[in-house]
Amino acid sequence: MAGADLTNERYRRRQRVWDVVESPYVVHLVLFLAVLFIVTPLVWMLLTSLKTRQGVLAMTYLPLEPTLDAYSRALIDRGFWRAVVNSVIVASASTAIVMVLGTPAGYVFSRYRFPYDNAVFVFVLFTRLFPPIGLVTPYYRIVSTFGLLNTKTGIVIANVYLWLPLVIYIMRNFFITIPTALDEAARVDGCTKVQAFRHVVFPVVLPGFAAGTILTFLYSWREFLFAFTVSTDLQSMTIPVATFLFVGDAGIDWGAMAAAAVVSVIPSALVVIAFNRYIVVGLTGGMKG
Amino acid sequence: MATEEYGRDVGPHGGGVTGRISDWVNDHIRTVLLGPSLVALFVVFIYPAVMLLWLSLLNTRGFGETFEPAYNYERIFTDPTFWNAVENTLVYSFGSLVVSVGAGLVIALALNKVTADRLRNGYTTLILLSWAVPLSIVGVTWRWMFNGQLGVVNRVLLDVGLLSSTFSWLTTSSTAMAVIILADSWSRIPFAAIVLLAGLQSIPQEMYDAAKVDGATSLQTFRNVTLPYLRPSFFVAGLITWMFAFRAFAIPFSTTGGGPGGATETLAIYIHRFGIQLLDYGFASAVAVILVSVTLVVAAGYVYFILERMEEIEV
């Protein structure tokens, strides 16, 4: 009896602790701290980018005389506005190619049986999980052989390798959620198989397609390894690479570097704020299958 | 059968060139829709992957290249900096795994408690921000914050009184490693939190109702309903986080460049150093083959898991 009471007592104490842990105050405190941890580095970059050169060296918290001078040093004096343009071109082209190739492929995996279909699907998954760092050395050689070093094409091709398997997988998972009865109905009504895909099934999967597009754009925008390997030339390098190049300077202009960093974060941040639901769907769409 | 109704030369989609093309497309729908992707993957993936294997068999030290299959692989195991890189990679990847999945779990549980949709979306959006930051920007940001002279971390610690003089975080081995793990986690926490939150939200409400009927306390419910149901998401979040941290290049490279003295040189940086900077691509490829093999063994576990669940859903 006494033993049971004791464990009971211990249990009740634990339950009381748990009630505190679960209370709204603690929940919001946790989330507040998490947001603080995530946002502080970004805010710090923004503040740094608004300081004068002296302000950066003086180590003040806030920019005493806020100025956009650092932005003009990074974007105009260094010419990094071209890197921004390159980034937009590379990310858009990569996203377009990947979505056009990957969406029908995902559809086929969700609908049709064919010889070795599971093996081909596993191959696609493995391509996705293959470490890109492993391909960098041969890729560098191939790119130089074909004269694609320091070109945007070289970066776009790398992005196709990186994101096509992911998109095939995600799109397949979205297509699977749509009943095949829909295709069959379209076929009965006289659609060809392509028409059934394009005019009947595709419109239904549009939210998934949007999620895939947004995800691919963000991934291509933030890619560093291949972009850095292929190009460090102003004609073709992307803005994340350009920002990194500040690190090699003798006396790093931290203000200008922060400005370049802010410029490369802004598009991603806007996409996240505008399309957060789609991103959540896209990120978790990879596991619903 | 169907073709007979239309006569010999006219298929179900009409005659002429367009009709014949659309007939052919209809008969070869899989090839038409899937073929281009597979050809693309063949060119951009299989070609370099086969080349990787081939390069790893070449001796490319010094000038020219000669075929010496065992040369690079033997060299790997006698190179002390290789084992240093292995050790760093393990510390880095497991450090990031523990921090990002641990913090991700706490955040996911907290987010799941927020009932107001708008509030939860607001929190989620803010937390997703660090995920969207380009990886090299993550690196330079943390490099700047932990700068030995001008960094804000030093500034804060000096003001609070925890430090009496500036500390060189990134040129001290142990703190440099801690900083890159933290930077890596900063960028990976959102993914872990989102995946775990999705797992939490997929737990059927009936399970909670049943627990309530049985008179279970909230702690018991958490232990016996929430945690067991969360296991698959936990597995996915952990495996993906670890696998991607194991191969991480951009964050450690742009934060410390592998320094001080190789203390934060991960395998990816090691491969990059030999393959791209020293142009000893034979050796770099051999190291890459080893890294790829390790990852693919782990990936096989993940693929197996996906295929298992695939059948559940398709049937």
Side-chain angles (χ1 to χ4, degrees):
Chain A
M1 268 319 258
D5 276 345
L6 214 67
T7 46
N8 226 341
E9 178 54 31
R10 201 186 296 157
Y11 221 94
R12 246 180 252 148
R13 214 180 303 144
R14 277 192 201 158
Q15 178 64 39
R16 246 176 281 139
V17 172
W18 185 250
D19 285 340
V20 174
V21 170
E22 275 199 320
S23 70
Y25 302 106
V26 175
V27 163
H28 286 281
L29 180 70
V30 164
L31 289 172
F32 174 76
L33 290 177
V35 168
L36 194 69
F37 175 66
I38 296 291
V39 170
T40 305
L42 297 173
V43 170
W44 183 241
M45 278 318 234
L46 184 65
L47 290 177
T48 305
S49 74
L50 296 173
K51 287 175 184 171
T52 58
R53 270 167 178 260
Q54 293 76 19
V56 171
L57 297 175
M59 291 171 79
T60 53
Y61 287 106
L62 295 174
L64 298 180
E65 321 151 51
T67 163
L68 292 177
D69 192 46
Y71 288 87
S72 92
R73 289 204 304 277
L75 298 179
I76 295 161
D77 297 357
R78 277 224 176 193
F80 281 177
W81 63 270
R82 298 180 76 155
V84 178
V85 175
N86 292 336
S87 267
V88 171
I89 296 173
V90 166
S92 312
S94 310
T95 310
I97 296 174
V98 166
M99 291 316 292
V100 167
L101 287 175
T103 310
Y107 176 72
V108 171
F109 279 120
S110 78
R111 289 293 189 274
Y112 292 102
R113 308 284 307 176
F114 51 92
Y116 304 111
D117 49 355
N118 280 341
V120 176
F121 185 63
V122 167
F123 161 73
V124 172
L125 283 181
F126 268 110
T127 313
R128 162 74 186 130
L129 300 173
F130 193 95
I133 182 72
L135 286 196
V136 154
T137 316
Y139 193 76
Y140 180 74
R141 267 176 66 108
I142 293 169
V143 163
S144 353
T145 314
F146 287 98
L148 292 173
L149 218 53
N150 289 321
T151 63
K152 292 188 268 288
T153 316
I155 307 175
V156 171
I157 296 173
N159 276 315
V160 172
Y161 147 63
L162 288 167
W163 317 123
L164 180 57
L166 177 73
V167 165
I168 295 177
Y169 180 53
I170 292 182
M171 289 316 293
R172 170 197 165 274
N173 289 345
F174 284 127
F175 279 120
I176 273 184
T177 61
I178 295 163
T180 44
L182 197 65
D183 309 46
E184 283 152 19
R187 298 272 294 135
V188 168
D189 288 346
C191 281
T192 65
K193 287 175 186 165
V194 176
Q195 284 168 336
F197 165 60
R198 257 186 51 197
H199 301 298
V200 180
V201 184
F202 183 71
V204 182
V205 90
L206 217 53
F209 181 80
T213 308
I214 292 160
L215 215 58
T216 313
F217 185 86
L218 280 178
Y219 275 130
S220 312
W221 179 272
R222 68 174 212 170
E223 207 279 325
F224 176 73
L225 174 58
F226 281 89
F228 178 59
T229 307
V230 172
S231 174
T232 47
D233 178 274
L234 206 51
Q235 290 291 336
S236 47
M237 71 179 170
T238 60
I239 186 70
V241 174
T243 311
F244 171 74
L245 291 183
F246 277 102
V247 164
D249 295 353
I252 302 178
D253 181 351
W254 293 104
M257 191 197 77
V262 170
V263 168
S264 48
V265 171
I266 284 175
S268 322
L270 289 181
V271 170
V272 166
I273 291 166
F275 300 110
N276 64 80
R277 272 160 202 265
Y278 287 104
I279 292 165
V280 169
V281 169
L283 282 181
T284 51
M287 38 168 309
K288 273 184 194 144
Chain B
M1 283 289 270
T3 355
E4 277 175 347
E5 291 169 31
Y6 298 91
R8 279 180 66 129
D9 294 319
V10 186
H13 307 116
V17 179
T18 36
R20 249 174 286 151
I21 289 176
S22 80
D23 276 346
W24 188 86
V25 166
N26 210 44
D27 293 343
H28 299 84
I29 185 83
R30 291 160 232 165
T31 319
V32 172
L33 296 182
L34 182 60
S37 276
L38 292 184
V39 171
L41 282 182
F42 204 85
V43 174
V44 298
F45 174 71
I46 301 280
Y47 175 34
V50 170
M51 194 172 192
L52 173 76
L53 279 177
W54 167 248
L55 288 178
S56 77
L57 305 175
L58 301 178
N59 176 352
T60 56
R61 203 177 193 178
F63 295 102
E65 43 186 56
T66 49
F67 185 70
E68 285 178 65
Y71 176 75
N72 293 316
Y73 291 99
E74 276 169 16
R75 223 175 107 198
I76 290 173
F77 294 101
T78 51
D79 181 12
T81 59
F82 170 75
W83 292 110
N84 171 55
V86 169
E87 195 187 320
N88 289 337
T89 309
L90 290 177
V91 171
Y92 179 79
S93 56
F94 281 103
S96 171
L97 168 69
V98 170
V99 177
S100 42
V101 176
L105 178 64
V106 173
I107 292 172
L109 288 170
L111 279 174
N112 199 35
K113 283 274 161 211
V114 179
T115 39
D117 271 356
R118 283 180 100 182
L119 198 57
R120 193 172 60 220
N121 279 340
Y123 279 130
T124 313
T125 307
L126 287 171
I127 286 165
L128 265 179
L129 282 177
S130 67
W131 169 83
V133 174
L135 301 178
S136 63
I137 309 297
V138 175
V140 297
T141 301
W142 287 75
R143 189 185 192 118
W144 169 227
M145 288 197 302
F146 281 90
N147 182 280
Q149 283 106 47
L150 304 169
V152 66
V153 174
N154 272 340
R155 181 65 215 257
V156 170
L157 292 178
L158 284 171
D159 285 352
V160 175
L162 284 172
L163 277 183
S164 51
S165 64
T166 56
F167 182 76
S168 300
W169 300 92
L170 296 176
T171 51
T172 309
S173 302
S174 55
T175 52
M177 179 55 90
V179 170
I180 60 170
I181 289 175
L182 206 60
D184 192 271
S185 308
W186 183 71
S187 118
R188 264 176 244 282
I189 283 173
F191 174 78
I194 295 297
V195 169
L196 291 170
L197 179 64
L200 284 172
Q201 288 175 341
S202 71
I203 301 175
Q205 184 59 37
E206 297 92 73
M207 293 308 295
Y208 288 114
D209 296 342
K212 212 174 218 172
V213 170
D214 289 346
T217 64
S218 58
L219 179 58
Q220 284 168 330
T221 313
F222 177 73
R223 265 203 200 148
N224 301 319
V225 178
T226 310
L227 283 185
Y229 262 95
L230 204 54
R231 211 174 290 148
S233 319
F234 211 70
F235 178 76
V236 169
L239 206 68
I240 296 273
T241 304
W242 182 81
M243 218 169 7
F244 282 66
F246 185 72
R247 65 178 64 161
F249 173 77
I251 290 177
F253 186 73
S254 53
T255 313
T256 61
T264 56
E265 186 173 71
T266 59
L267 277 171
I269 297 177
Y270 185 81
I271 291 169
H272 187 265
R273 176 158 66 93
F274 279 96
I276 308 291
Q277 293 168 24
L278 302 175
L279 291 175
D280 190 352
Y281 42 85
F283 184 67
S285 301
V287 179
V289 167
I290 290 178
L291 179 114
V292 167
S293 314
V294 172
T295 319
L296 289 191
V297 169
V298 177
Y302 177 63
V303 169
Y304 179 75
F305 173 82
I306 288 177
L307 292 180
E308 288 261 286
R309 306 232 306 175
M310 201 160 86
E311 267 149 36
E312 263 172 48
I313 284 170
E314 271 179 350
V315 169

